[in-house]
Amino acid sequence: MKKRIWELDAFRGLCIIGVVFVHLVFDLVYLYEIVKIEAIPGWFQFLMAWGGVLFLVLSGICATLGSRSVRRGAIVFAGGMLCTAVTYGMYRMGFDSSIIIYFGVLQCLGICMLVWPMYKEMPWWALLLHGIVLAGLGLYIDHLIAARALYTTSKWLMPLGIYWRGFSSSDYFPLLPHLGFFLIGTALGKTLYRKKQTLFPKVNDRNIILRSLQFCGRQSLWIYLLHQPVLAGICYLITL
């Protein structure tokens, strides 16, 4: 049985805990308006903006170590579509339309994993260069849209980061720039983890904290799919 690299599982677990925390704050402050705050702290805004990027980079690293990328990508993408269906159902039940997830992190990650076999044979430097170009292009497109210098009426360009005026999504991870961040992660995977071994062999990864983080990392997809209904139930009970 192939030994898992403990720090990747632990870091993925830390990322998914951060996702749960961000969504809990979002639900308490914006969705159910249970908590009133005057301004979002800067560190929390940074976590919201770049936490997902760290997750995509980490997923790129893991993609170089695993197999059956297409199968796993299809499962992750299907999980993303399930999230879209649930949030659309919530909208039909009376929530604001901004709650709908149009192209969230699971859809983005699923597509990245599905296309990974196309890039798999590239050397690390080509992956890094390709990733930097795609990430930079995506950030530039986002800048143009924010400056109202670029817009579209087509909904088919939305997965690429080009969206129409008035567009909103409660979770939005377009392929540009995020496919670029994923490929940057694959370049790191092909260099830092080319031997497919832990970088910290002397660390005791069996202590309770690291074991808990590793467990969360291994179950990250299920935690992502189930945490919002749980948080919604908790918030509903608080409102009562």
Side-chain angles (χ1 to χ4, degrees), residues 161-177:
I162 304 174
Y163 50 86
W164 57 96
R165 289 178 180 174
F167 168 79
S168 64
S169 176
S170 61
D171 186 35
Y172 184 48
F173 280 77
L175 292 172
L176 298 176

Side-chain angles (χ1 to χ4, degrees), residues 64 163 203 223 236:
T64 65
Y163 50 86
V203 173
I223 293 174
Y236 178 73

Side-chain angles (χ1 to χ4, degrees), residues 49 63 73 77-78 111 133 178 206 224 238:
F77 184 81
I111 294 296
V133 169
H178 294 97
R206 306 310 297 167
Y224 188 90
I238 292 175

Side-chain angles (χ1 to χ4, degrees), residues 61-98:
I61 295 174
C62 295
T64 65
L65 303 172
S67 57
R68 296 182 293 180
S69 174
V70 172
R71 177 178 177 271
R72 294 181 179 181
I75 293 173
V76 171
F77 184 81
M81 295 305 296
L82 177 62
C83 292
T84 295
V86 170
T87 52
Y88 180 77
M90 294 175 67
Y91 158 66
R92 298 293 295 178
M93 291 170 59
F95 285 89
D96 188 86
S97 62
S98 62

Side-chain angles (χ1 to χ4, degrees), residues 21-97:
F21 174 69
V22 167
H23 287 173
L24 174 61
V25 173
F26 179 86
D27 289 353
L28 291 174
V29 175
Y30 298 107
L31 193 57
Y32 294 93
E33 298 182 347
I34 297 172
V35 177
K36 305 292 184 182
I37 57 177
E38 294 184 359
I40 298 293
W43 64 267
F44 187 78
Q45 294 181 17
F46 178 84
L47 183 63
M48 290 179 62
W50 293 100
V53 171
L54 294 177
F55 189 79
L56 264 295
V57 171
L58 178 63
S59 298
I61 295 174
C62 295
T64 65
L65 303 172
S67 57
R68 296 182 293 180
S69 174
V70 172
R71 177 178 177 271
R72 294 181 179 181
I75 293 173
V76 171
F77 184 81
M81 295 305 296
L82 177 62
C83 292
T84 295
V86 170
T87 52
Y88 180 77
M90 294 175 67
Y91 158 66
R92 298 293 295 178
M93 291 170 59
F95 285 89
D96 188 86
S97 62

Side-chain angles (χ1 to χ4, degrees), residues 187-217:
L188 293 175
K190 282 201 169 188
T191 52
L192 296 178
Y193 290 96
R194 61 185 179 277
K195 296 182 179 180
K196 300 191 176 185
Q197 297 175 354
T198 177
L199 301 181
F200 308 97
K202 296 183 179 180
V203 173
N204 176 22
D205 60 305
R206 306 310 297 167
N207 69 70
I208 186 63
I209 296 177
L210 292 182
R211 286 180 62 185
S212 299
L213 289 176
Q214 290 175 73
F215 174 80
C216 292

